[in-house]
């Protein structure tokens, strides 16, 4: 019996170890391939060391894709956070309508993002789309939603907001329901108004939950592919070609495999650094929220 207790920790760690190996092996293999010039036209590649990365950072296409990626991630995360917190505050009131809307809220999360993007692509068609049809009485019909660079980017962000705002709202609502009631009761006794209570109590204590949602959504938006590709395929031109789509074009469409993988490694580094900064900031926010509750 003693040997079973001794082996139990090692047995329990085996699934995590296998999962880690399953993640690290393809990542390490991809990192190794970036040191070569492997492509469809060159099946016997030569080692070029860091030449792929040098080419990536000297390309204007990379910096354009990086700028589009940042605009998309910041815009989507910001709008989703504001709308998600606002919806959570509305649903926090225990009413029949709030309970019904709470169930409806998760419907966009049940639709695959690529399917949602295809649905919205049809709805945003200038001539036959239902969106322009509904706006026509207000003199706004015929808008080229995805046929202009600015419109395509804003439409992609709007679809992302439609799909993922419920995710932020659910996290914020869970945070609101877990807040201690004693500070709010004390504020009510002192005659504090709604705005003062929200600014001094609710928001500081809710910030850790909001920042967790921001971390998830910002990281996910940095590596977006499905929504933009299904909606615009990176067009018009390269106005919505984010880094993930650029990597796909280089590796799959242009069949420059090592060069395309270099894009994904650069994107991974960006996401990793951004996550480290945000998680470090989360620790500070959590400590400040703890001070408010005490």
């Amino acid at each position: 019996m003693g040997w079973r207790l001794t082996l139990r920790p090692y047995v329990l760690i085996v699934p995590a170890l296998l999962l880690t190996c399953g993640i690290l092996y393809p990542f390490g293999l991809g990192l190794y391939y970036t040191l070569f010039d492997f492509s469809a036209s060159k099946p016997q590649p030569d080692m070029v060391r860091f030449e792929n990365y040098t080419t990536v950072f000297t390309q204007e296409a990379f910096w354009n894709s990086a700028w589009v990626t940042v605009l998309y991630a910041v815009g989507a995360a910001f709008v989703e956070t504001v709308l998600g917190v606002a919806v959570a505050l509305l649903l926090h009131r225990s009413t029949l309508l709030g309970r019904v809307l709470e169930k409806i809220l998760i419907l966009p999360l049940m639709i695959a993002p690529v399917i949602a993007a295809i649905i919205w692509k049809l709805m945003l068609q200038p001539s036959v789309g239902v969106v322009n049809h509904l706006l026509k009485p207000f003199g706004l019909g015929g808008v080229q939603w995805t046929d202009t660079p600015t419109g395509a980017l804003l439409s992609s962000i709007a679809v992302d907001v439609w799909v993922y705002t419920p995710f932020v709202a659910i996290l914020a609502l869970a945070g609101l329901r877990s807040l201690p009631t004693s500070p709010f009761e004390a504020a009510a006794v002192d005659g504090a108004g709604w705005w003062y209570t929200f600014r001094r109590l609710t928001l500081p204590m809710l910030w850790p939950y909001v920042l967790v949602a921001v971390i998830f959504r910002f990281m996910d938006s940095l590596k977006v592919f499905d929504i933009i590709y299904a909606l615009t395929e990176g067009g018009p031109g390269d106005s919505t070609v984010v880094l993930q789509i650029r990597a796909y074009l280089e590796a799959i469409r242009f069949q420059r495999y090592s060069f395309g993988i270099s894009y994904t490694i650069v994107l991974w580094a960006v996401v990793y650094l951004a996550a480290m900064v945000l998680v470090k900031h989360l620790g500070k926010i959590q400590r400040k929220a703890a001070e408010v509750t005490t």
Side-chain angles (χ1 to χ4, degrees), residues 75-223:
F78 176 78
V79 176
E80 288 164 11
T81 302
V82 173
L83 289 180
V85 172
V87 170
L89 289 171
L90 291 174
L91 296 181
H92 186 49
R93 300 176 179 274
S94 298
T95 62
L96 177 61
L97 179 61
R99 290 193 292 271
V100 172
L101 292 177
E102 185 179 341
K103 305 301 184 293
I104 299 175
L105 186 67
I106 65 173
L107 289 179
L109 293 175
M110 300 172 65
I111 302 175
V114 65
I115 301 299
I118 292 173
I119 293 172
W120 276 98
K121 185 176 183 178
L122 296 173
M123 292 172 62
L124 294 175
Q125 287 293 321
S127 56
V128 298
V130 67
V131 174
N132 277 346
H133 179 72
L134 294 175
L135 294 177
K136 192 174 182 179
F138 304 97
L140 299 175
V143 178
Q144 306 292 322
W145 294 102
T146 59
D147 295 337
T148 62
T150 302
L153 182 60
L154 292 178
S155 298
S156 301
I157 293 175
V159 175
D160 196 296
V161 168
W162 183 83
V163 174
Y164 290 110
T165 294
F167 172 78
V168 179
I170 290 171
L171 280 181
L173 184 60
L176 284 170
R177 290 176 175 173
S178 67
L179 298 182
T181 58
S182 54
F184 297 98
E185 294 171 353
V189 171
D190 292 339
W194 178 88
W195 174 245
Y196 181 87
T197 303
F198 173 76
R199 187 165 53 92
R200 294 292 184 177
L201 293 177
T202 306
L203 195 57
M205 289 190 289
L206 189 63
W207 262 122
Y209 301 93
V210 174
L211 191 55
V212 168
V214 170
I215 292 173
F216 275 104
R217 290 307 314 133
F218 186 67
M219 297 301 99
D220 201 34
S221 298
L222 281 176
K223 52 188 180 64

Side-chain angles (χ1 to χ4, degrees), residues 249-276:
L249 294 176
E250 294 290 347
I252 306 301
R253 184 167 296 181
F254 305 146
Q255 297 184 335
R256 296 189 288 184
Y257 308 124
S258 294
F259 192 60
I261 295 173
S262 300
Y263 264 96
T264 63
I265 296 299
V266 171
L267 178 59
W268 169 83
V270 171
V271 173
Y272 180 75
L273 292 174
M276 286 184 62

Side-chain angles (χ1 to χ4, degrees), residues 61-71 241-243:
F62 166 77
W63 295 108
N64 176 74
S65 296
W67 176 243
V68 174
T69 302
V70 171
L71 284 179
V241 177
V242 292
L243 288 174

Side-chain angles (χ1 to χ4, degrees), residues 14-24:
V14 167
L17 184 61
L18 292 175
L19 180 62
T20 303
C21 293
I23 294 173
L24 291 181

